[in-house]
Amino acid sequence: MSQHHKPQPVLHSHLREKDEYGQSSHDHQQHQPAADGAGHDHHHGQHAHADACCSHGTEAGQNQSPGKHNPPPEGTNRVRYRIDKMDCPTEETLIRNRLEPMAGISRLDFNLLDRELTVYHRLDEPQPIAAALQALDMAPSLLGTGAPVAAVPPALSARLKGLLTISGLAAVGAEGIAWTTGDEGSWLVVALAALSILSTGLPTLKKGWIALKNLTLNIYFLMSLAIAGAVIIGQWPEAAMVVFLFAVAEAIEALSLERARKAIKSLTALAPETAEVKVADGWQEQPVAEVPIGCRIRVRTGARVPLDSRVESGGAALDQAPITGESLPVDKRVGDTLYAGSIVTDGVVEAIVTTIAGDSTLARIAAAIQDAQSQRAPTQRFVDQFAHYYTPAVVALAVLLAVLGPLLFDGAWGAWLYQALVMLVIACPCALVVSTPITVVSGLAAAARHGILIKGGTYLENGRLLKAVALDKTGTLTLGKPALTDAAPFGDLPLDQALLIAASLDEHSTHPVAQALVAGWRGRQPATTMLPVEDFGVLSGHGVKGRIAGQLWHLGNHRLVEELGICSLELEARLALLENAGKTTVILCSPSGPVAVFAVADTVRPESFAAVAALRALHVEPVMLTGDNPATARAIADQLGIQDARGNLMPDEKQAAVAELKNRYGAVGMVGDGVNDALALARADIGFAMGAAGTATALETADVAIMDDDPRKIADFIRLSRRAGSILKQNIALALGIKIVFFALALAGHATLWMAVFADMGASLMVVFNGLRLLRQFAQRPPVINQMP
């Protein structure tokens, strides 16, 4: 055994029965990606740490990672409300100001897109919470545990369109008559202005009164004050225009938010409502919610898979883009996993249901996105804090302007009051506050559509800060399963004949090395049939033997050749060359000696070359961390152009390596399988889990889950984060810049009320549309060809 081999935990000792290639039966379990370095014990201990990785990784996954993801406060009860009137950060602030000071309230989570509020509390009953929301005229509806999200009403109903039309015509009419007659107080102007205000202004005035009662200086209070002030000083046309422009801007903003909501829903509302289930007398359509685990379902061409399941018979090509972001269909055969929401593009399969509808991969993605929306990003927290001080300060300045202006600078009291009202409208930080949530939600939606599940705005924003990314080798940079890489004659026997004999012997073995050799033969000689083998036998820890056409053949590892006494210096040199490259060697021997040498190794993913190059282009340093031996690690790293490659690492050593990288570079990401690398993932600033579509643990523990196995998406995430950060800065600069310009115009006496409303709400719409640009971040990626350097 290898000099690097470490004692295995006693927990797994009963699993270590040796097979023909010197590897334990436990190591055969290819569905467990834990074993970093899926090589073979008979050369350099390539699997020496597998069991340790499994045990430590699972424990870490349970105990470490959840701490990074804002778990519910201990000892609290949870209650969810649907609030149809809550569709803007303004309402969120109003609710926070009312509920957070209440005794027994621990935490509030808001999902503005779905208009949901989750309250964690220590009250005996939630009635006081509902009463407080009713007092704010929020009309809450209690949602049961696990209740599906009800459809949000359309942003622009037919009734609202009609009211906007009436309000607009009346406001324009009042403004036109006042301008042509020069009389802003005529009964016709007042009547038209009043009609405009009553058509669309009552909700604003009502919300303004509620804000005043709760001592909250929000947009509705400021607008109500501006409308009332304009009416008091006789500026009826101005008041009407303010009401109309504000209502139009709110409608357009609601439509923009609806677009972001639909982008999210398009990702999560993909599974059909019924499934074709096998019953005693045939097949029957049943609601997916009623289909239990173990049922047999059938999915035909063109249909969506209703539930997570395992193929039992048949075969098909599936479009998994809604789940993994993969651009090409994936072939599915018996034993393969089907994900709810994926589409059968060709073929028919029958499958056994493996999860209920509420626990499917698609459902977990939906839950993760909903949870991510409820978490406030760093920029949003900063903006909220800024607005907390900014708005009262400007309101105070407007009051001083109205009171001290006539006293210090002369002029009519009405004129100074008018300028103060203009300043009140400008004071609203609506554009500033709304800029962050829409940008973050658009980024989350774009990433999820691309097969990247980001667990919150914090990670979306902080990804741009990464200076180094540590990558696990097996299953991340490599395919995670052995493949035939080398085949060479060692004597006079033709290589094709030697490979056929070796494959015929290994066809009787289930060992991964044997399967890789047989698969390699099939790829090279697809039209050839196997040779019959007699007297087949397993040579424990060494290989196999058998007779073909009456001649005895041996096929096995380096130790087998030595025990047969047919090893030579020339063969040793040939084997050393392959073994130093991290490959597992297999030798075919006739009674007269070795006749062929084969090598099997975990091969590099075609996408890994582009992935490493993309990280370097972003000036992010790629580092390889693996439990495999240093020779294998170095061989893979050299192919990819990674300078820093570290082998023989146990899970706690990977964690220490991440800590050291943080000290050297700053912010560091860690990419692993989400299970066995949990310690290192938790230690990193951002933990990435690969292949998360098939692993519930990865979805739950990772900060960023890559739904398929494409490592290029690490760089895609960093690019998305950098663009999101750029858009957030643009939005803040835009919102503040417009306010500074209009402050100057107001102080100079050149700004009107309707101009101030138009500017403020125009700024809001500009930052919303700017944030929505993130939805188009990812273009369709072309198919990958092997990008060997």
Side-chain angles (χ1 to χ4, degrees), residues 374-505:
S374 69
Q375 300 177 29
R376 289 195 294 173
T379 299
Q380 186 175 351
R381 290 194 291 268
F382 161 76
V383 166
D384 290 347
Q385 192 70 13
F386 177 84
H388 180 73
Y389 296 103
Y390 160 82
T391 305
V394 178
V395 170
L397 181 62
V399 172
L400 290 175
L401 188 67
V403 175
L404 299 180
L407 300 177
L408 299 179
F409 303 102
D410 294 329
W413 175 84
W416 283 104
L417 178 59
Y418 183 84
Q419 293 306 319
L421 294 176
V422 171
M423 192 164 287
L424 282 178
V425 175
I426 296 172
C428 177
C430 193
L432 200 60
V433 172
V434 79
S435 64
T436 303
I438 194 67
T439 302
V440 169
V441 168
S442 297
L444 296 176
R449 187 184 296 160
H450 191 55
I452 304 172
L453 186 61
I454 305 172
K455 304 297 275 296
T458 298
Y459 306 112
L460 176 63
E461 284 197 42
N462 291 344
R464 63 188 175 86
L465 304 176
L466 294 179
K467 301 300 181 185
V469 172
L471 301 113
D472 180 41
K473 178 181 72 67
T474 304
T476 300
L477 294 173
T478 67
L479 292 171
K481 55 185 180 181
L484 182 65
T485 59
D486 298 83
F490 194 82
D492 298 330
L493 187 67
L495 180 59
D496 287 350
Q497 184 68 15
L499 185 57
L500 174 59
I501 293 170
S504 300
L505 290 168

Side-chain angles (χ1 to χ4, degrees), residues 155-392:
L156 200 58
S157 64
R159 179 176 179 274
L160 181 55
K161 289 178 184 177
L163 291 174
L164 282 172
T165 302
I166 294 171
S167 178
L169 292 174
V172 171
E175 192 75 57
I177 294 172
W179 184 74
T180 54
T181 63
D183 184 2
E184 295 186 343
S186 68
W187 70 267
L188 184 56
V189 170
V190 172
L192 287 172
L195 176 61
S196 178
I197 293 171
L198 291 173
S199 298
T200 54
L202 291 181
T204 298
L205 295 171
K206 185 177 182 180
K207 290 178 180 179
W209 171 245
I210 293 172
L212 177 62
K213 288 197 301 181
N214 288 274
L215 303 178
T216 300
L217 297 179
N218 63 21
I219 180 65
Y220 300 110
F221 170 72
L222 297 178
M223 284 294 171
S224 298
L225 204 56
I227 294 166
V231 169
I232 289 172
I233 62 176
Q235 297 285 339
W236 283 91
E238 294 270 347
M241 192 59 72
V242 165
V243 167
F244 171 65
L245 288 176
F246 182 66
V248 169
E250 279 209 308
I252 297 175
E253 188 177 303
L255 287 171
S256 303
L257 292 171
E258 186 175 66
R259 180 182 173 190
R261 182 186 302 116
K262 288 180 178 178
I264 292 287
K265 293 302 177 190
S266 68
L267 302 167
T268 57
L270 296 170
E273 296 181 357
T274 61
E276 192 177 6
V277 181
K278 178 72 172 178
V279 293
D281 54 350
W283 297 90
Q284 183 181 64
E285 290 285 336
Q286 295 183 8
V288 292
E290 299 176 7
V291 180
I293 294 174
C295 275
R296 191 183 189 98
I297 60 174
R298 181 169 63 185
V299 191
R300 305 169 186 266
T301 300
R304 289 188 182 271
V305 177
L307 297 151
D308 283 5
S309 49
R310 185 184 65 256
V311 178
E312 190 73 7
S313 67
L318 270 80
D319 177 5
Q320 296 186 154
I323 309 298
T324 65
E326 294 170 285
S327 58
L328 296 177
V330 178
D331 289 332
K332 297 288 185 176
R333 295 292 179 263
V334 174
D336 289 341
T337 299
L338 304 180
Y339 301 120
S342 52
I343 306 166
V344 176
T345 59
D346 182 43
V348 179
V349 290
E350 294 182 15
I352 302 299
V353 175
T354 55
T355 62
I356 60 173
D359 290 336
S360 69
T361 300
L362 189 64
R364 295 199 305 272
I365 292 172
I369 292 175
Q370 183 169 349
D371 182 60
Q373 292 176 52
S374 69
Q375 300 177 29
R376 289 195 294 173
T379 299
Q380 186 175 351
R381 290 194 291 268
F382 161 76
V383 166
D384 290 347
Q385 192 70 13
F386 177 84
H388 180 73
Y389 296 103
Y390 160 82
T391 305

Side-chain angles (χ1 to χ4, degrees), residues 36-113:
D36 193 357
H40 303 279
D41 282 349
H42 57 283
H43 285 297
H44 299 284
Q46 290 175 326
H47 239 312
H49 309 316
D51 292 327
C53 287
C54 284
S55 59
H56 289 295
T58 304
E59 182 179 325
Q62 293 168 345
N63 300 333
Q64 291 275 345
S65 297
K68 293 184 74 175
H69 293 304
N70 203 24
E74 291 186 12
T76 59
N77 299 312
R78 173 177 175 269
V79 61
R80 289 169 61 215
Y81 294 100
R82 168 66 175 272
I83 305 175
D84 283 331
K85 295 184 179 181
M86 181 186 71
D87 60 356
C88 171
T90 302
E91 283 90 5
E92 176 183 336
T93 302
L94 185 64
I95 293 172
R96 282 191 185 278
N97 292 346
R98 182 61 182 261
L99 293 185
E100 284 183 339
M102 288 176 55
I105 302 298
S106 299
R107 194 176 85 201
L108 306 176
D109 285 347
F110 290 84
N111 181 348
L112 295 181
L113 288 189

